[in-house]
Amino acid sequence: MRVIVCDNYEKMSYEAARIFASQIIIKPNSVLGLATGSTPIGLYNCLAKMYENGELDFSEVTTFNLDEYYPIAHENDQSYHYFMNENFFSKVNVPEDNIHIPDGSTDNPALECKNYEKEIDRYRGIDLQILGIGQNGHIGFNEPAEILEPNTHVTDLTQNTIEANSRFFESIDLVPTKAITMGIGSIMKSKKILLLASGSGKKEIVKKLLSSGIDTNIPATMLKAHPDVTLICDREAYED
Ligand code: F6R
């Protein structure tokens, strides 16, 4: 795992945006894996600026989001559909038909998961996947467990994740307890992975990630078995 430490959040976001942009410049029809959460917002802002300045064109790009709460309506302002539209898709020119986000409003989640995985495979995997990391080491919503699921699946969120995400909801009772998420195998099929970590709240897990072997109780350590992962973090998230 390559590690890039940046002075602050802005520099981390810009560094990630430069790598993301080069992927699109080299391969305009790239398949890109996207994450939600606080961490990639700076990256999305940088990409939107590059688009505005005419430096980047998303017209041939295809995207797959990592996850979505379940059940949740697309219009719910806490859904990842809403988040992605607000923070990224409304600001750039990714064609609507090329955007994939698990459907949190489906009444057949098992079929949704199967079709989502099939669709990733139809594109022969993701060229560049953006990931954040949970304080408990989750990637996507692959929570710490004895056994990790390889493919897109419905998962129960852990109390730790529910508490961490309750900052976005009016009350903790409103945080969904389930999600549809790409599995560890879906993520590992990506050709390149950029893992972002920012802020002192991530220091402990980044330290654990870098010092541990592969441990399903720290799902991000699975990335150590991938040949092309870059961790970009800010100084607050990294301890020398
Ligand atoms: C989001 C996702 C999660 C987040 C993680 C970190 O799509 O899959 O794994 O990346 O929970 O969230 P933040 O960035 O809010 O600390």
Side-chain angles (χ1 to χ4, degrees):
M1 187 177 297
R2 203 171 142 231
V3 182
I4 302 175
V5 184
C6 302
D7 283 343
N8 54 42
Y9 178 72
E10 285 67 36
K11 288 191 177 154
M12 179 201 82
S13 302
Y14 182 65
E15 192 59 27
R18 282 192 333 129
I19 297 173
F20 198 99
S22 357
Q23 172 66 44
I24 301 173
I25 292 165
I26 289 168
K27 187 181 175 198
N29 63 347
S30 287
V31 183
L32 302 164
L34 304 177
T36 60
S38 310
T39 315
I41 291 179
L43 159 67
Y44 296 146
N45 287 340
C46 289
L47 293 171
K49 263 202 199 102
M50 289 175 177
Y51 169 68
E52 238 174 75
N53 296 341
E55 294 164 42
L56 212 49
D57 173 28
F58 295 84
S59 63
E60 292 178 51
V61 153
T62 295
T63 65
F64 282 89
N65 262 81
L66 275 171
D67 43 20
E68 175 61 287
Y69 289 119
Y70 184 76
I72 200 158
H74 296 186
E75 314 73 54
N76 185 317
D77 61 4
Q78 293 309 327
S79 77
Y80 289 169
H81 275 80
Y82 191 95
F83 174 100
M84 287 308 299
N85 197 45
E86 281 288 297
N87 290 294
F88 190 52
F89 293 132
S90 61
K91 301 178 183 173
V92 296
N93 64 333
V94 181
E96 215 177 307
D97 287 349
N98 295 7
I99 296 172
H100 303 82
I101 305 177
D103 181 6
S105 68
T106 179
D107 46 19
N108 191 342
L111 184 64
E112 171 64 15
C113 292
K114 205 168 147 207
N115 289 341
Y116 203 73
E117 193 69 33
K118 249 199 215 157
E119 196 64 0
I120 295 173
D121 288 341
R122 196 168 71 79
Y123 282 92
R124 296 181 207 286
I126 286 162
D127 290 307
L128 176 65
Q129 173 71 54
I130 302 297
L131 294 177
I133 183 168
Q135 284 174 359
N136 63 1
H138 73 212
I139 47 174
F141 276 131
N142 294 277
E143 299 281 33
E146 290 290 293
I147 291 171
L148 298 176
E149 294 271 344
N151 295 332
T152 304
H153 60 284
V154 178
T155 185
D156 291 317
L157 303 182
T158 59
Q159 193 54 28
N160 177 296
T161 298
I162 292 171
E163 277 162 24
N165 290 5
S166 66
R167 69 190 192 276
F168 300 114
F169 291 80
E170 267 175 39
S171 93
I172 192 160
D173 313 334
L174 296 175
V175 185
T177 56
K178 287 182 190 288
I180 296 177
T181 180
M182 282 189 201
I184 293 290
S186 343
I187 294 171
M188 296 288 278
K189 279 186 237 174
S190 308
K191 296 175 186 87
K192 286 191 177 72
I193 298 178
L194 269 191
L195 174 63
L196 306 181
S198 161
S200 54
K202 298 289 168 71
K203 190 177 238 168
E204 205 175 309
I205 191 62
V206 166
K207 193 172 160 195
K208 268 195 200 157
L209 165 66
L210 295 175
S211 60
S212 308
I214 292 173
D215 177 353
T216 60
N217 284 305
I218 311 172
T221 59
M222 299 298 291
L223 299 174
K224 294 191 163 192
H226 190 284
D228 195 344
V229 179
T230 304
L231 164 68
I232 309 187
C233 52
D234 57 19
R235 222 157 261 300
E236 283 195 351
Y238 185 82
E239 194 174 275
D240 284 309

